[in-house]
């Protein structure tokens, strides 16, 4: 796999993939929550009076639960692929 730091074309590919993923998420959630995938968007809509405060709290709870579920799915999918680097000056993870 090419290094995104050294090849700008791979960095562009990653950015485009993220944009498509976000667009798909907003499209899928548009009929349910108006496309609120980010708690900051929900906060802005609540402050602007477009949704009620109790509804925004329910959105925040569901957004946080979705985030936890995504983290658990990622952890399950990458079991055995993450290795801790033993260098004490470098505290990071390496994906193989």
């Amino acid at each position: 796999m090419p290094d995104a730091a050294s090849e700008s074309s791979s960095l562009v590919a990653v950015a485009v993939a993220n944009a498509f993923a976000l667009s798909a998420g907003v499209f899928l959630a548009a009929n349910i929550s108006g496309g609120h995938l980010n708690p900051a968007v929900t906060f802005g809509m609540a402050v602007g009076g477009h949704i009620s405060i109790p509804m925004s709290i329910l959105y925040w709870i569901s957004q946080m639960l979705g985030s936890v579920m995504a983290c658990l799915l990622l952890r399950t999918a990458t079991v055995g692929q993450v290795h801790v680097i033993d260098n004490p000056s470098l505290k990071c993870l390496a994906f193989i």
Side-chain angles (χ1 to χ4, degrees), residues 8-20:
S8 60
S9 63
S10 60
L11 186 60
V12 170
V14 169
V16 169
N18 281 318
F20 281 137

Side-chain angles (χ1 to χ4, degrees), residues 24-88:
V26 169
F27 178 75
L28 291 171
N31 289 336
I32 299 167
S33 69
H36 301 192
L37 296 180
N38 187 338
V41 173
T42 304
F43 178 75
M45 295 294 274
V47 168
H50 297 284
I51 60 173
S52 66
I53 298 297
M55 185 60 72
S56 66
I57 291 171
L58 290 175
Y59 283 174
W60 283 331
I61 291 170
S62 63
Q63 289 163 348
M64 297 303 167
L65 287 175
S67 173
V68 169
M69 294 300 294
C71 289
L72 292 174
L73 178 65
L74 179 65
R75 183 175 179 177
T76 303
T78 59
V79 168
Q81 297 179 12
V82 178
H83 299 280
V84 177
I85 296 175
D86 290 331
N87 188 345

